[in-house]
Amino acid sequence: MSRVDSLFQPVTLDKLTLKNRIVMAPMTRTYSPGNVPNDLNVAYYRRRAEGGVGLIITEGTCVNHIAASGYPNVPMFYGDEALAGWKKVVDAVHAAGGKIAPQLWHVGAIRRPGVEPGGDTPGHSPSGMARPGKVSGHAMTQQDIDDVVAAFAQAAADAKSIGCDAVELHGAHGYLIDQFFWEGTNQRDDAYGGDLAARSRFAIEIIRAVRAAVGPDFPIIFRYSQWKQQDYAARLCDTPEELGVFLNRLSEAGVDIFHCSTRRFWEPEFEGSDLNLAGWTRKLTGKPAITVGSVGLNADFLPEDGTANFKAAEPASIDNLLERVERDEFDLVAVGRALIANPDWANQVAAGNFDSLAAYEKDMLQKLA
Ligand SMILES: Cc1cc2nc3c(=O)[nH]c(=O)nc-3n(C[C@H](O)[C@H](O)[C@H](O)COP(=O)(O)O)c2cc1C
């Protein structure tokens, strides 16, 4: 048995069985004109499934709310045309032996008026702030909150009905759900603001509504991060105890799998232990966890200069990753840019062909078309 085999055994996580532990990380590409997935999108995902990925998590796809979208040409997850496009993606991934979960998304205050769909609608968020202390949009009313909760539930029901294998809720990176979690952008004085328990209420309502919409057996993945795109050093929880309380509330609401977004998977989350964020999440909740962040690459993805260019990176050793998989620190491993550069990354790694792996270059997304 070769060392990489630990990544390439079938794995059953309660409600989800996968042919291996490799997950395609969600990556926005803005290549769906009219906000509808097209044949090029189908081919893009099919190639990654053919390339051996066990589970594809799609690019962020917006739920049906007027202010959900923050970038042009992002595929929506509502409307007959977009759902028919997604169904083609799902069928192609299944035909290639893979599984797929859409990443359901609302950008919150990151939205600027003018992005379609949504026209002049301003960004919607807990306190109208994309950044701490700076009001730039609309503070959500109870009606807005109820509408967004219902939109996530409807999207999840639609995902199930077109044959998706799970859904992922985007609760990370300083977008809407995370804007509620983060004290910096949640200054509400109603039941949705205050301590972290209150700031989690919005997420919990979404998770419960999604669970009610999809039934008990359909897997719900929840992605979260300590860091925010607005502040890489931000943290929701400073200790394992706080993290345990935070995550167990989400777990009890209905999360099956946590996707723990970090930029560098090898970094310990708290002093005094080697465990990374996914390792702690699994230990504290008993739920399966996905790790992510520079797997197989020598540099993390976010630029320090605040530009939108995702960083280029060279292939790097996965020895540290394999050690952690062998120690059973986490369950699944998400790969981002390396899968843009190498659609067959999983098959190449399974075969030990490390020398044939290409570097990730900044303009690769554009070249994919
Ligand atoms: C081009 C690009 C687009 C991304 N879009 C999303 C997204 O839509 N949703 C999300 O949760 N993360 C997104 N991310 C973050 C990735 O899912 C992943 O966490 C990050 O790239 C780190 O993995 P990597 O180092 O293997 O690339 C994106 C990253 C890149 C490079």
Side-chain angles (χ1 to χ4, degrees):
M1 181 161 156
S2 121
R3 203 153 172 227
V4 293
D5 286 353
S6 55
L7 282 173
F8 294 98
Q9 303 300 313
V11 55
T12 296
L13 307 171
D14 194 12
K15 301 169 192 171
L16 187 64
T17 296
L18 301 172
K19 67 179 176 184
N20 62 42
R21 294 178 189 272
I22 306 299
V23 175
M24 180 172 176
M27 284 179 287
T28 290
R29 290 185 56 232
T30 65
Y31 281 101
S32 299
N35 309 109
V36 171
N38 55 37
D39 289 348
L40 290 173
N41 302 146
V42 175
Y44 166 80
Y45 286 112
R46 182 195 293 120
R47 279 187 79 193
R48 272 77 196 168
E50 286 170 351
V53 169
L55 174 67
I56 288 174
I57 300 176
T58 72
E59 62 205 289
T61 171
C62 294
V63 300
N64 188 5
H65 181 256
I66 185 77
S69 176
Y71 308 94
N73 301 326
V74 164
M76 300 296 113
F77 208 81
Y78 59 87
D80 292 347
E81 228 189 321
L83 290 175
W86 278 119
K87 175 139 180 31
K88 284 189 196 164
V89 173
V90 171
D91 291 347
V93 167
H94 286 166
K99 294 202 170 170
I100 183 163
Q103 188 189 50
L104 304 181
W105 192 23
H106 190 305
V107 303
I110 300 297
R111 174 184 170 79
R112 293 283 167 272
V115 174
E116 296 300 345
D120 290 340
T121 311
H124 280 42
S125 60
S127 304
M129 290 183 244
R131 294 174 182 282
K134 210 174 148 202
V135 174
S136 56
H138 169 71
M140 288 167 73
T141 62
Q142 183 66 53
Q143 185 63 53
D144 296 325
I145 288 175
D146 294 345
D147 289 348
V148 172
V149 169
F152 270 94
Q154 183 61 51
D158 290 339
K160 187 179 174 189
S161 74
I162 64 167
C164 296
D165 301 283
V167 285
E168 175 166 289
L169 307 178
H170 194 343
H173 305 170
Y175 291 110
L176 182 63
I177 294 176
D178 202 20
Q179 286 159 22
F180 272 86
F181 286 145
W182 190 28
E183 198 173 12
T185 45
N186 183 346
Q187 294 291 312
R188 297 177 75 98
D189 54 14
D190 63 3
Y192 296 91
D195 61 11
L196 187 52
R199 302 197 309 269
S200 302
R201 181 184 172 119
F202 178 64
I204 287 169
E205 287 186 3
I206 290 175
I207 295 162
R208 287 198 180 130
V210 166
R211 173 58 70 213
V214 296
D217 300 327
F218 192 74
I220 300 175
I221 307 169
F222 191 89
R223 192 173 223 217
Y224 81 100
S225 62
Q226 297 261 42
W227 66 271
K228 319 294 161 209
Q229 62 191 285
Q230 301 89 331
D231 178 0
Y232 296 165
R235 289 169 82 77
L236 296 176
C237 299
D238 287 323
T239 65
E241 290 72 27
E242 286 171 23
L243 186 66
V245 173
F246 167 65
L247 293 176
N248 277 307
R249 283 192 203 103
L250 306 179
S251 176
E252 280 157 24
V255 172
D256 296 300
I257 300 171
F258 284 100
H259 191 171
C260 312
S261 177
T262 54
R263 296 154 64 195
R264 295 169 288 267
F265 76 86
W266 56 86
E267 287 183 346
E269 188 56 34
F270 301 110
E271 269 180 31
S273 160
D274 249 11
L275 290 180
N276 73 9
L277 187 64
W280 276 108
T281 297
R282 188 178 201 266
K283 182 182 160 107
L284 293 165
T285 64
K287 291 274 167 90
I290 309 174
T291 197
V292 68
S294 308
V295 170
L297 294 176
N298 72 346
D300 71 81
F301 79 114
L302 286 172
E304 301 300 338
D305 60 4
T307 64
N309 290 324
F310 296 108
K311 264 199 264 171
E314 298 287 329
S317 160
I318 60 164
D319 286 353
N320 182 308
L321 180 82
L322 293 174
E323 281 162 28
R324 289 170 187 266
V325 173
E326 282 156 16
R327 287 204 301 262
D328 219 14
E329 182 173 335
F330 34 70
D331 301 86
L332 304 177
V333 174
V335 177
R337 291 162 298 157
L339 265 168
I340 301 265
N342 306 275
D344 58 351
W345 190 89
N347 286 343
Q348 294 295 348
V349 169
N353 294 336
F354 292 98
D355 290 345
S356 66
L357 294 172
Y360 173 79
E361 291 159 27
K362 277 190 205 167
D363 58 356
M364 260 179 180
L365 273 178
Q366 285 81 342
K367 283 190 189 152
L368 283 174

